[in-house]
């Protein structure tokens, strides 16, 4: 079911909205519809993550709040500046 097409009906629940589909699955089991399922393949692309020391994260978060920007924006800006400076050295 597409988020942009609310008139499209779900094949099993017959729901036309996320709420109707959720209500259906709150009261039904997939086991009751197993014969209507089929195997699919798909790729999951997880974002790259880094881990910061708790103290570094807290200081970065505090600075982001003071600056009024999202933490990720500030971290990317500072890292870009540092990496640009290292190239010149």
């Amino acid at each position: 079911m597409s988020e942009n097409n609310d008139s499209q009906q779900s094949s099993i629940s017959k729901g036309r909205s996320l709420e109707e589909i959720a209500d259906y699955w709150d009261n039904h089991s997939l086991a009751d519809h197993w014969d209507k399922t089929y195997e699919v393949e798909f790729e999951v692309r997880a974002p790259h993550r880094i881990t910061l020391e708790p103290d570094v994260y807290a200081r970065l978060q505090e600075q982001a709040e003071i600056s009024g920007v999202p933490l990720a924006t500030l971290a990317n800006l500072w890292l870009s500046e540092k990496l640009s400076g290292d190239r010149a050295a």
Side-chain angles (χ1 to χ4, degrees), residues 40-56:
V40 298
E41 290 186 28
F42 58 93
E43 182 178 326
V44 176
R45 293 186 207 161
H48 297 285
R49 302 243 182 231
I50 63 169
T51 303
L52 300 174
E53 294 294 324
D55 181 58
V56 171

Side-chain angles (χ1 to χ4, degrees), residues 8-57:
Q8 186 177 359
Q9 191 175 55
S10 170
S11 61
I12 294 176
S13 71
K14 307 300 184 215
R16 292 189 179 276
S17 70
L18 292 177
E19 291 79 17
E20 289 176 0
I21 295 169
D23 287 343
Y24 180 87
W25 288 111
D26 283 345
N27 298 298
H28 293 82
S29 170
L30 181 59
D32 299 332
H33 304 284
W34 197 251
D35 60 321
K36 297 177 183 171
T37 66
Y38 53 92
E39 188 173 327
V40 298
E41 290 186 28
F42 58 93
E43 182 178 326
V44 176
R45 293 186 207 161
H48 297 285
R49 302 243 182 231
I50 63 169
T51 303
L52 300 174
E53 294 294 324
D55 181 58
V56 171
Y57 183 89

